[in-house]
Amino acid sequence: MRRPAKDPLYRARRLLLTGANHLTEKMATKLDALLQEGDPNWEVTITWTVYQKLIDAYQQSDSHDMVTLIDALKDLGVPPAWSEARGGADS
């Protein structure tokens, strides 16, 4: 089933497939606007951000830098929607 062309997340699909380090300033601004419009509960935004941080962590040559990034990911916590989907467990 094809999604409507007016759906902000549908319009953001290609930008979401682009690595954060490859986004131009114009692309990043457009992605931010589309996510603000189409992702009111932040599920897509958080998922994409965590994914980008994991990519960064695996590209680190120093294991200490990777541990620091992994710890930062842990500090983000679990979004309420994810916790509810898993039956209230939030770890």
Side-chain angles (χ1 to χ4, degrees):
M1 180 175 179
R2 191 173 166 150
R3 298 207 52 180
K6 293 184 180 182
D7 180 348
L9 293 179
Y10 182 79
R11 293 190 344 246
R13 68 195 184 286
R14 289 195 182 227
L15 292 171
L16 289 167
L17 292 172
T18 304
N21 57 339
H22 296 292
L23 292 174
T24 64
E25 186 174 328
K26 183 178 177 180
M27 292 165 72
T29 301
K30 181 177 180 179
L31 178 60
D32 186 49
L34 290 169
L35 288 174
Q36 285 183 19
E37 183 182 348
D39 189 24
N41 296 321
W42 294 73
E43 291 100 346
V44 175
T45 304
I46 291 171
T47 302
W48 186 78
T49 302
V50 168
Y51 176 63
Q52 296 304 311
K53 290 192 179 295
L54 282 171
I55 290 170
D56 288 345
Y58 279 105
Q59 292 176 346
Q60 299 299 320
S61 59
D62 182 5
S63 63
H64 177 40
D65 290 342
M66 186 172 184
V67 170
T68 302
L69 282 169
I70 297 295
D71 288 340
L73 288 173
K74 285 190 222 175
D75 291 341
L76 288 175
V78 176
W82 293 355
S83 180
E84 291 168 14
R86 292 185 337 181
D90 63 338
S91 59

